[in-house]
Amino acid sequence: MESLKELYKIGCGPSASHTMGPSRAAKIFLERNKEADQFKVSLFSSLAETGKGHLTDKAIYDVLGKERTIVKFKPEINYSYHPNGLCFKAYKDGKKIDEWLVFSVGGGSLKELNEPRESFKDEIYHEKSLSEIIKYCKDNNCDLIKYVKKYDKDIQPYLEKVLETMFKSVSRGLYTSGILQGGLNVERKAPSFFEKYLKNPSKETLCYAASLAVAEENASGGEVVTSPTCGSSGVVPGVLYTESIINHRSTKKLVEALMVGGLIGNLVKTNGSISGAEVGCQGEIGVACSMASAMLAYLYGASIEEIEYSAEIALEHHLGMTCDPVDGLVQIPCIERNAIASMQAYNCCNYAILTNGKHHISFDNVVEVMEQTGRDLQNEYKETARGGLALGCGSNKK
């Protein structure tokens, strides 16, 4: 597995795979074609179908320059390797000088055609599954924190920055009201939820408010942290912010929780998928809930078996969740799902601890099932805005 730095990416929303990934690809292509005077970019399948709502074209224009760039949407072209394909072409004096086919495979990560999905160029973790990690910890008498620090040598200061960025996103969202752009007239709810919390404090209301704050910031193109994606970026900050206020958790403990949750997200990214265009929202909200639940279990002093079970429950009970964004925007049902999943993380954690970690289905098993379930989903339910809620609401309403 890669460093947790490749899971927790800091950038602007509304989508890791549809905004951050294409932007990153455009920067790479520009760097190797500085002499080009024109660019043509083709977006395929899911990138084409929901690219407008996810600001994919804007992200590319911002890097390459709108005056010299043509972006074409070609939803009819779909590569079996991954639905988020895009092709860059560079020209100089009317002559093509370079071409690059690349795929935004989730969480802002990029891969080329037929590049192995389960391996990465800069792998630092030796173990490939949670069961292997647990065995390593028991054999070497260490916990998950020591395990992470063994491989990710300089991860602590980076995660401190991640936590700071998450909490800044929460703060901005809690005090920013108005209507989100895009045409759905979605009103920001975080400020009103926070006002209700201040009048009648409760963990639930604060968690909802914090999660909504980040999800709404993401929907408006604000700076967030992929955890594991932009579309699900409100879940982890929601629970961590709540824990910082309600239970006065220290920065040190919250950063350690990010290490635990990061392992969970990294394992799914490596052995399954965190791309809504590939496996539906179970790979985004489901994984975010799993990460947050594992973090909470750690913060509440759970055993390594209880942490594993907590993560397993959260992912298992999101199996089959579709990715059906109305009008291709990361607003409905995405924002609400962040808030609900943040409280679900608490439920999963509490349940796992009550069982003392005894269970039948492993986290690794559920990751395998999630990937297969995602591949079995019809394309209409995988970030195409052609099925589910996207078909029955917004401009696609029949």
Side-chain angles (χ1 to χ4, degrees):
M1 297 190 297
E2 293 179 296
S3 167
L4 298 189
K5 294 177 183 178
E6 294 302 312
L7 180 77
Y8 294 120
K9 295 189 181 76
I10 298 172
C12 294
S15 171
S17 60
H18 286 56
T19 314
M20 290 176 63
S23 175
R24 182 183 175 197
K27 290 174 183 176
I28 293 172
F29 195 67
L30 177 61
E31 181 63 26
R32 75 188 206 191
N33 291 285
K34 294 180 179 179
E35 74 279 15
D37 53 33
Q38 185 183 31
F39 297 98
K40 293 182 180 179
V41 185
S42 296
L43 307 177
F44 307 132
S45 193
S46 177
L47 280 182
E49 293 187 278
T50 60
K52 281 290 183 182
H54 288 57
L55 307 181
T56 308
D57 51 344
K58 180 181 182 302
I60 293 171
Y61 287 139
D62 286 347
V63 175
L64 300 181
K66 191 170 184 178
E67 71 287 345
R68 61 175 183 174
T69 305
I70 298 172
V71 176
K72 294 184 177 181
F73 295 81
K74 298 182 177 182
E76 71 281 1
I77 299 177
N78 181 32
Y79 285 85
S80 59
Y81 177 76
H82 196 282
N84 285 342
L86 61 165
C87 183
F88 291 86
K89 295 180 181 179
Y91 296 83
K92 176 68 175 178
D93 298 327
K95 181 181 179 181
K96 186 172 70 174
I97 58 175
D98 195 9
E99 181 173 342
W100 186 36
L101 175 64
V102 65
F103 296 83
S104 182
V105 298
S109 295
L110 303 172
K111 283 188 176 290
E112 296 184 348
L113 185 63
N114 297 325
E115 185 179 344
R117 293 290 304 282
E118 68 282 359
S119 62
F120 301 87
K121 294 177 181 177
D122 298 311
E123 294 196 37
I124 62 173
Y125 289 92
H126 297 172
E127 287 68 33
K128 299 287 187 179
S129 67
L130 189 49
S131 61
E132 290 179 1
I133 291 174
I134 292 174
K135 183 179 185 304
Y136 176 91
C137 289
K138 289 185 174 182
D139 290 347
N140 292 275
N141 192 31
C142 73
D143 59 16
L144 294 175
I145 306 307
K146 290 180 180 177
Y147 173 81
V148 169
K149 289 182 176 180
K150 170 183 169 60
Y151 292 117
D152 252 331
K153 302 293 186 183
D154 58 345
I155 195 62
Q156 177 122 0
Y158 181 78
L159 291 183
E160 289 173 359
K161 182 180 179 182
V162 163
L163 184 67
E164 180 184 8
T165 303
M166 286 181 170
F167 282 11
K168 283 182 177 179
S169 299
V170 173
S171 297
R172 288 196 309 272
L174 290 177
Y175 294 100
T176 304
S177 58
I179 304 296
L180 294 172
Q181 294 183 349
L184 293 178
N185 295 317
V186 173
E187 184 177 1
R188 285 178 177 250
K189 295 184 176 66
S192 65
F193 273 55
F194 190 53
E195 286 180 12
K196 291 171 183 174
Y197 162 75
L198 293 175
K199 292 178 181 177
N200 186 22
S202 74
K203 178 178 71 178
E204 290 79 5
T205 306
L206 179 59
C207 192
Y208 287 145
S211 296
L212 286 171
V214 178
E216 289 167 355
E217 277 294 291
N218 175 68
S220 66
E223 186 177 67
V224 296
V225 179
T226 58
S227 46
T229 66
C230 284
S232 61
S233 60
V235 181
V236 167
V239 300
L240 293 183
Y241 187 84
T242 300
E243 285 298 303
S244 73
I245 300 298
I246 300 295
N247 290 316
H248 311 291
R249 306 289 188 185
S250 66
T251 295
K252 177 177 179 295
K253 291 300 290 186
L254 295 176
V255 166
E256 289 176 354
L258 281 170
M259 294 179 190
V260 173
L263 281 178
I264 298 301
N266 234 2
L267 286 165
V268 181
K269 179 181 175 182
T270 302
N271 300 316
S273 175
I274 57 172
S275 169
E278 189 170 35
V279 296
C281 201
Q282 57 175 355
E284 298 198 42
I285 286 293
V287 177
C289 185
S290 185
M291 292 169 61
S293 186
M295 291 179 185
L296 287 170
Y298 169 73
L299 290 173
Y300 281 84
S303 67
I304 197 167
E305 289 84 5
E306 290 166 347
I307 291 172
E308 189 264 352
Y309 191 19
S310 188
E312 185 276 325
I313 294 172
L315 187 56
E316 177 187 343
H317 296 291
H318 281 89
L319 289 176
M321 179 175 274
T322 59
C323 183
D324 46 0
V326 176
D327 282 2
L329 298 166
V330 192
Q331 297 181 16
I332 300 174
C334 321
I335 294 172
E336 193 174 85
R337 281 182 179 171
N338 275 265
I340 300 303
S342 65
M343 276 310 303
Q344 182 74 332
Y346 274 99
N347 293 333
C348 296
C349 167
N350 293 339
Y351 186 96
I353 291 175
L354 286 170
T355 66
N356 296 321
K358 295 180 180 179
H359 60 293
H360 295 282
I361 301 172
S362 74
F363 173 80
D364 296 324
N365 290 152
V366 174
V367 173
E368 292 177 13
V369 172
M370 187 208 74
E371 182 181 30
Q372 186 57 55
T373 301
R375 297 195 183 283
D376 290 342
L377 283 175
Q378 296 180 28
N379 288 333
E380 285 76 10
Y381 298 103
K382 294 191 284 188
E383 209 163 0
T384 59
R386 289 190 282 111
L389 290 173
L391 187 63
C393 309
S395 61
N396 289 330
K397 186 173 182 180
K398 295 291 185 181

